[in-house]
Amino acid sequence: MLRNFLDRIKPQFEKDGKLHFLHSTFEAFESFLYVPDKVTVSGSHVRDALDMKRTMITVVVALLPCFLFGIYNTGYMHFAALGQTCEFWPAFWFGCTKVLPMLIVSYVVGLGIEFVFAQIRGHEVNEGFLVSGFLIPLICPPDVPLWMIAVATAFAVIIGKEVFGGTGMNIWNPALLARAFLFFAYPSQMSGDAVWVADAVSGPTALAAMSSHTGNLPTASELFWGFIPGSVGETSKFCILLGAAILLWSGIGSFRIMFSAVAGGVVMAWIGRLTGSTDATVMQHLLSGGFLFGAVFMATDPVTSAQTNCGKWIFGFLVGLMAVLIRIYNPAYQEGMMLAILLMNTFAPLIDYLVVNRNVNRRRKRLQAVRSQVENA
Amino acid sequence: MEKIIKLRKGLDIKIEGVPDHSLNAPTVAYRKYAVKPVDFYGMQPKLSVAEGDRVLAGSPLFYDKKNSKITVSSPVSGVVTEIVYGERRVIREIRIEADEKIEYKSFEPLKPEDFTEENVKERLLEAGLWAYIRQRPYDIPANPDSRPRSIHISAFDTAPLAPDLDIVVHGQENFFQAGIDALKKLTDGKLYLGVHRTKTASNVYNECKNVEICVFDGVHPCGNVGIQIHHTQPINKGETVWYVHPQDVVIMGRLLLKGVYDATKIVSVGGSEALHTGYHKILAGLNVQYLLKDNLKESELEPRVVSGNVLTGTSIGVSGYLGAYDHGISVIPEGKRFRFMGWMTPGINLYSYSRTFFAWLFRQRRYRIDTNLNGGERAFVLTGQFEKVLPMDIYPMQLLKACLAEDIEKMEDLGIYEVSPEDFALCEYIDASKTEIQQIIRKGLELVRKEVD
């Protein structure tokens, strides 16, 4: 029935139809409902069942545990701060009222801009924003005003993505760019609420405070399960690991980046501990703040990370290293992960260039060897 | 035990309809044949016959405008019934109605000990078999005035639904060896024969003399000659290597020993839409109607008949003709249908190399894969996917982007001479952005050929 309806209105959006100027929009909605009936014309006659929509949805599914827990934790923290104990559902409901509007604002603003640009360019709408738009509420503190999310999202999509040519061409991770925009544009508003500190309880500030009165130290288990204040999605390390498992098992996420980012963090935290620059243990560094969330979901963005396999190892390692380095040695920025990833995004093309150049040189050397052989003979 | 080259990257697509090992002899007289000049990529065909002409098996049908020595002959004797032109007067098909009993044009037979470069070349050229020797880079018929650095033959085909090359040379060891001996005269370098550690069991290959046997182990595209060249002796700028299909080696051997162009070959019929898969002993260029008569499953849409394998072959329709370089046909369902909410269904019937569909729960299953594109064209987003299925020391994404940018120097640096479209077929298959990758590589190669040669 739905199919019949689509088939009936479709001609209006095709060439010479009176609604042709909206064809990208129609295509986006139609392909949302149905995988198109397009068949292969040239090249390989069969194609893998995986397409961009399925890829992006898989990432969203991997983010769901973090999202759902984030909603619950928002409510839980709210009532805990008021000194009340609370059942599961009221807390979850309260979280929904806080987090769902953030998600809706981010999607409406971001997708709206994507649709407009796709329309202007005559492209089909790319699915990349499904993930970016889902990430934005997850990396913001739950009390951030909705209009700020709207402005930050618009900034990230237009300046971060569309000016570079759209999906696949951007240099920086759009979601992180939105976060960075908020962080630098509205530092005072970001740290207004009593419960929700600017970067929530992230990294060294919390850890430093805790180490002074050992009684209230959040245990490794609290950090791991996530009943601590923080940005919506980043608190529960368990849910993040669940998401990582989904990404790795389905073959979408890069284990190279995840693994080496953690390795880089461990190395730097260990150095910091040896030199006495930080009181936190290596484990606390890994489990606190947005470190794991960034390593699993943000650093692995295929467009803005390094593209070569070898480059991914280097990229991930440096992200982890930088994140902890910033945390330890720069008290102005408590959370290093965001800046570390954005910084490495900037350097990713350079890393790739160096990696690919090794391959190029190998080939040139081989050619020279053959040529000199011929000359000698 | 010689060194085994083990290739870990690649993918065997679990598609239904692998040809079973039955060999069927013709029950009716096959009459309709065609030679398709468009199959000989890189040639500029000029006709030597006209409609109504009588030809023998081995008489030339057309020649290459750039090098008139290269001709292509009729596989059967009979009458040229029709010459089919395509857009811009491209000669698509030269159709021939075959005689009941094939008459052969006779050439002087040679003894293996008398093979020299001159007489082998001359015989292959005059019988119209030269074009079956192809060269890398560029994937075009070899130039008879040059000597290649080396010659490569892959003795196994790992492509989905591809014929088992042990079967196609069964009982032809004399001819195969003669063909090898003859080809050996054409190069100063080595003649490599790539065999598979487990799949190649035939003594035709394993006990072949006068060749350098290379043992490979791995999944598709390990059987692609391009991958094998890359791992034995990669092509450098300025070098040329030749390659031949084993079945064409047999036909060449037959020509040299018996003095006739006997185009008998064994082709496979595979795919989920064929009732009976298996092998057929036929002559080259046969109309596939004979192979598909009473052999198609019933369905609303006409299935897609592919000459060659489903990754690189040509769609020919149910009444088309077998391609010149193809040794099998695959029949798969046409995928003209909508799939509701494809992004969220569990998808237990959908095959994917990734584990994003729940089909991964069923390890042993094979899938009825159709021709649906399974998505719309998008920008390149995912990375590291092509690397999983391209067992070469090449950065596929970077090379593709160089091809798109038409940056010849960069293409050379990244190894354009070592690749051909078929090596990238699996990349095209798995690409979630549904880009025409083989075409990008083909255009890149074409540009280099124009500018550099």
Side-chain angles (χ1 to χ4, degrees):
Chain A
M1 198 184 79
L2 188 59
R3 188 62 253 168
N4 289 342
F5 171 71
L6 287 173
D7 285 340
R8 207 170 61 235
I9 62 168
K10 199 172 184 175
Q12 299 184 358
F13 295 96
E14 275 159 8
K15 254 205 169 106
D16 305 326
K18 59 182 172 195
L19 293 175
H20 178 63
F21 68 97
L22 284 177
H23 68 99
S24 292
T25 315
F26 178 76
E27 198 278 341
F29 280 107
E30 189 196 15
S31 67
F32 173 79
L33 290 168
Y34 292 95
V35 176
D37 65 342
K38 267 195 214 146
V39 293
T40 54
V41 192
S42 71
S44 176
H45 296 273
V46 290
R47 298 298 170 95
D48 199 85
L50 178 70
D51 68 344
M52 209 46 88
K53 275 201 181 56
R54 186 80 183 189
T55 309
M56 294 304 169
I57 289 300
T58 307
V59 182
V60 171
V61 168
L63 280 166
L64 270 182
C66 290
F67 182 70
L68 294 177
F69 180 82
I71 288 178
Y72 170 67
N73 192 41
T74 303
Y76 175 83
M77 282 294 132
H78 172 80
F79 289 112
L82 297 177
Q84 301 168 350
T85 51
C86 182
E87 306 259 311
F88 175 77
W89 285 111
F92 190 80
W93 175 245
F94 181 83
C96 281
T97 61
K98 282 275 182 198
V99 179
L100 284 186
M102 294 165 74
L103 181 71
I104 291 166
V105 166
S106 133
Y107 265 156
V108 167
V109 172
L111 284 177
I113 296 171
E114 288 263 340
F115 272 75
V116 170
F117 272 92
Q119 206 67 70
I120 294 170
R121 294 210 175 95
H123 281 181
E124 297 181 353
V125 178
N126 273 289
E127 288 84 0
F129 193 77
L130 286 180
V131 172
S132 306
F134 205 80
L135 280 170
I136 288 173
L138 288 186
I139 54 175
C140 287
D143 69 327
V144 64
L146 292 179
W147 66 268
M148 278 190 200
I149 291 190
V151 174
T153 306
F155 172 83
V157 174
I158 295 173
I159 305 295
K161 201 160 152 186
E162 297 301 342
V163 293
F164 290 106
T167 305
M169 320 280 185
N170 45 318
I171 296 176
W172 299 289
N173 185 321
L176 269 182
L177 210 58
R179 181 72 175 79
F181 179 81
L182 288 177
F183 186 77
F184 289 111
Y186 306 105
S188 54
Q189 284 94 326
M190 290 285 284
S191 52
D193 201 293
V195 180
W196 305 100
V197 207
D199 228 288
V201 179
S202 78
T205 36
L207 291 165
M210 287 159 207
S211 60
S212 53
H213 20 83
T214 33
N216 290 335
L217 207 152
T219 58
S221 101
E222 269 177 312
L223 283 171
F224 180 76
W225 295 106
F227 293 102
I228 48 169
S231 292
V232 176
E234 69 175 25
T235 55
S236 172
K237 308 308 168 306
F238 173 74
C239 292
I240 293 170
L241 290 180
L242 210 62
I246 294 174
L247 285 182
L248 293 179
W249 176 251
S250 64
I252 300 293
S254 164
F255 70 92
R256 292 182 178 86
I257 293 178
M258 291 187 203
F259 184 82
S260 62
V262 171
V266 168
V267 167
M268 194 61 228
W270 182 68
I271 293 173
R273 187 134 175 103
L274 275 190
T275 55
S277 312
T278 174
D279 298 331
T281 62
V282 172
M283 200 44 132
Q284 277 168 323
H285 267 294
L286 288 189
L287 291 180
S288 63
F291 185 85
L292 270 185
F293 190 84
V296 170
F297 295 110
M298 316 290 282
T300 51
D301 170 16
V303 175
T304 55
S305 66
Q307 305 196 344
T308 53
N309 285 341
C310 176
K312 281 177 181 163
W313 287 113
I314 302 170
F315 173 87
F317 188 81
L318 290 177
V319 164
L321 196 84
M322 284 303 219
V324 179
L325 185 79
I326 295 171
R327 275 188 190 179
I328 296 176
Y329 293 105
N330 192 339
Y333 302 125
Q334 297 126 339
E335 182 49 291
M337 202 56 184
M338 173 184 84
L339 293 170
I341 294 174
L342 287 175
L343 182 71
M344 291 322 295
N345 280 168
T346 319
F347 284 109
L350 180 67
I351 297 173
D352 279 335
Y353 175 80
L354 295 174
V355 170
V356 172
N357 238 12
R358 274 179 49 221
N359 178 280
V360 169
N361 287 335
R362 216 161 33 235
R363 189 162 287 111
R364 283 197 182 139
K365 258 187 206 146
R366 199 177 70 207
L367 178 64
Q368 266 164 13
V370 171
R371 281 198 178 148
S372 62
Q373 228 173 29
V374 171
E375 274 162 24
N376 292 341
Chain B
M1 191 71 202
E2 64 254 89
K3 204 180 116 209
I4 295 172
I5 301 171
K6 200 167 163 52
L7 303 178
R8 286 207 176 75
K9 294 170 172 184
L11 172 73
D12 273 339
I13 299 170
K14 290 186 190 164
I15 184 168
E16 219 178 79
V18 177
D20 69 25
H21 284 190
S22 61
L23 181 61
N24 307 295
T27 48
V28 287
Y30 297 159
R31 302 293 290 277
K32 285 158 119 186
Y33 291 86
V35 173
K36 296 185 276 185
V38 280
D39 287 345
F40 297 88
Y41 184 84
M43 268 175 96
Q44 284 182 18
K46 279 275 167 196
L47 288 172
S48 338
V49 291
E51 279 178 24
D53 284 4
R54 222 195 114 61
V55 290
L56 297 177
S59 344
L61 293 176
F62 64 91
Y63 61 93
D64 187 6
K65 197 177 158 191
K66 286 171 295 179
N67 189 341
S68 58
K69 279 191 287 184
I70 306 177
T71 61
V72 173
S73 310
S74 167
V76 292
S77 64
V79 178
V80 178
T81 49
E82 198 185 354
I83 292 167
V84 182
Y85 293 93
E87 271 172 51
R88 284 188 286 166
R89 303 277 300 164
V90 171
I91 312 165
R92 299 201 65 85
E93 290 172 2
I94 302 170
R95 293 187 183 162
I96 301 158
E97 178 95 19
D99 299 335
E100 218 148 299
K101 186 152 179 9
I102 306 289
E103 285 175 52
Y104 297 96
K105 186 175 170 185
S106 63
F107 303 95
E108 195 194 329
L110 293 171
K111 288 202 190 84
E113 53 273 23
D114 298 339
F115 287 166
T116 60
E117 189 192 349
E118 287 75 39
N119 64 20
V120 166
K121 255 187 194 174
E122 192 193 307
R123 193 66 76 252
L124 292 178
L125 283 166
E126 68 182 354
L129 282 181
W130 186 266
Y132 293 90
I133 304 175
R134 284 182 286 171
Q135 72 155 67
R136 291 279 170 100
Y138 313 131
D139 246 349
I140 52 176
N143 177 4
D145 303 323
S146 67
R147 273 176 88 78
R149 187 202 67 191
S150 52
I151 298 180
H152 298 255
I153 296 167
S154 169
F156 61 101
D157 196 339
T158 44
L161 309 181
D164 179 345
L165 298 189
D166 277 11
I167 294 179
V168 304
V169 296
H170 183 73
Q172 311 283 328
E173 43 276 81
N174 287 340
F175 297 130
F176 186 75
Q177 186 62 55
I180 293 285
D181 294 341
L183 288 170
K184 188 74 178 72
K185 302 282 178 203
L186 303 180
T187 175
D188 300 322
K190 286 177 176 167
L191 201 165
Y192 293 98
L193 181 67
V195 298
H196 194 275
R197 189 176 67 85
T198 52
K199 278 181 187 150
T200 307
S202 173
N203 286 339
V204 177
Y205 302 122
N206 287 332
E207 286 173 12
C208 186
K209 287 179 247 348
N210 226 347
V211 291
E212 176 100 0
I213 292 184
C214 301
V215 187
F216 289 87
D217 191 6
V219 294
H220 191 58
C222 170
N224 279 7
V225 73
I227 306 289
Q228 297 181 2
I229 297 169
H230 183 86
H231 287 279
T232 44
Q233 213 184 344
I235 306 170
N236 295 301
K237 185 182 177 179
E239 291 177 335
T240 324
V241 305
W242 290 355
Y243 67 100
V244 194
H245 191 275
Q247 192 142 236
D248 294 328
V249 175
V250 169
I251 295 175
M252 287 172 192
R254 220 181 269 146
L255 166 78
L256 295 166
L257 293 185
K258 286 168 61 180
V260 291
Y261 172 30
D262 176 358
T264 306
K265 52 178 173 178
I266 294 174
V267 301
S268 64
V269 175
S272 59
E273 299 313 283
L275 286 173
H276 311 287
T277 61
Y279 292 82
H280 294 258
K281 197 170 192 172
I282 58 159
L283 293 172
L286 181 72
N287 189 312
V288 296
Q289 266 176 325
Y290 294 106
L291 305 177
L292 299 177
K293 199 168 166 246
D294 305 324
N295 195 13
L296 289 177
K297 285 184 190 157
E298 284 206 10
S299 71
E300 276 171 49
L301 286 169
E302 194 174 85
R304 182 173 296 196
V305 181
V306 178
S307 172
N309 72 58
V310 291
L311 289 176
T312 59
T314 335
S315 169
I316 53 171
V318 285
S319 53
Y321 297 86
L322 186 72
Y325 295 120
D326 300 329
H327 303 267
I329 59 169
S330 317
V331 195
I332 53 172
E334 200 65 76
K336 213 160 171 49
R337 46 128 186 84
F338 289 95
R339 189 147 53 76
F340 186 59
M341 292 272 182
W343 52 271
M344 63 173 285
T345 49
I348 48 171
N349 289 318
L350 293 166
Y351 176 69
S352 173
Y353 82 101
S354 67
R355 294 202 192 83
T356 47
F357 295 88
F358 282 92
W360 58 261
L361 289 169
F362 313 99
R363 288 271 172 86
Q364 298 303 321
R365 243 179 85 187
R366 286 195 166 263
Y367 297 84
R368 184 168 169 261
I369 302 175
D370 62 24
T371 63
N372 194 295
L373 202 53
N374 287 319
E377 240 179 81
R378 294 292 185 266
F380 285 129
V381 168
L382 290 182
T383 58
Q385 308 291 316
F386 299 160
E387 280 87 345
K388 288 182 191 165
V389 292
L390 185 73
M392 287 176 137
D393 181 25
I394 274 177
Y395 286 102
M397 184 68 98
Q398 280 71 16
L399 180 58
L400 284 169
K401 286 185 175 166
C403 287
L404 286 172
E406 304 193 338
D407 183 341
I408 291 179
E409 200 180 324
K410 212 169 198 178
M411 278 149 76
E412 286 182 340
D413 279 346
L414 292 169
I416 187 78
Y417 295 115
E418 295 160 49
V419 302
S420 92
E422 68 167 14
D423 300 329
F424 276 72
L426 266 181
C427 298
E428 183 171 82
Y429 168 79
I430 66 163
D431 182 19
S433 305
K434 314 292 172 192
T435 320
E436 304 284 351
I437 287 167
Q438 295 191 70
Q439 214 172 12
I440 296 174
I441 294 290
R442 170 56 80 200
K443 279 189 182 150
L445 281 168
E446 213 37 40
L447 183 75
V448 175
R449 183 156 74 111
K450 226 168 53 201
E451 298 289 319
V452 178
D453 271 20

